[in-house]
Amino acid sequence: MNTKNEIDVANLRCDNKSVAFISKKLAMNKEKIERIITQWIIDTDNLIKESVSGHKVQKIPDLNSVREKIMAHPNVLPLKGEVLDYVALNHSNHHDRIMDCIRFHILRSL
């Protein structure tokens, strides 16, 4: 279950906002935000690794298009096409804001 804090953090990460910006905007401790994001990484890492295993990237995904696809399906993230290509290219970058957004939506869709 997603807490209000998680949802607020996720919405801002999906808007490509930094942890420092989110901290100021939500009047929330940076460490708390980082703990939330770290938990998303822990909870989704294996699923993401399985999803991208053997996947051949079709094309370099457009960030805005990926964001639109994620936001168009807030409760069921389609891990295919451009979104899967983006995940395959960026899943190991634990500082990628859009990956944080994707991780949140993966958890929400479970």
Side-chain angles (χ1 to χ4, degrees):
M1 175 126 140
N2 306 119
T3 66
K4 178 166 177 17
N5 283 343
E6 279 186 291
I7 293 168
D8 291 343
V9 169
N11 286 334
L12 290 167
R13 284 307 257 186
C14 291
D15 286 339
N16 209 10
K17 301 299 182 190
S18 69
V19 169
F21 177 90
I22 295 168
S23 177
K24 288 177 187 171
K25 174 91 173 165
L26 300 178
M28 205 173 171
N29 185 306
K30 283 183 186 179
E31 288 77 22
K32 183 172 183 175
I33 295 166
E34 289 169 351
R35 277 194 305 273
I36 290 170
I37 293 170
T38 299
Q39 193 59 54
W40 295 344
I41 292 167
I42 291 166
D43 293 346
T44 60
D45 242 13
N46 287 334
L47 179 71
I48 286 174
K49 284 179 184 173
E50 289 174 16
S51 297
V52 300
S53 177
H55 176 72
K56 303 253 188 284
V57 174
Q58 302 300 312
K59 65 177 185 167
I60 303 300
D62 174 65
L63 184 62
N64 290 326
S65 178
V66 170
R67 255 189 88 253
E68 287 173 13
K69 285 180 174 60
I70 296 166
M71 301 316 284
H73 303 280
N75 295 319
V76 180
L77 180 65
L79 207 50
K80 60 184 179 184
E82 268 188 306
V83 175
L84 184 56
D85 285 346
Y86 189 87
V87 170
L89 291 169
N90 297 288
H91 68 93
S92 62
N93 180 351
H94 291 161
H95 299 284
D96 186 285
R97 298 169 187 174
I98 301 304
M99 274 306 301
D100 292 343
C101 176
I102 290 169
R103 289 174 186 282
F104 172 80
H105 282 87
I106 287 171
L107 290 170
R108 177 179 255 189
S109 66
L110 293 178

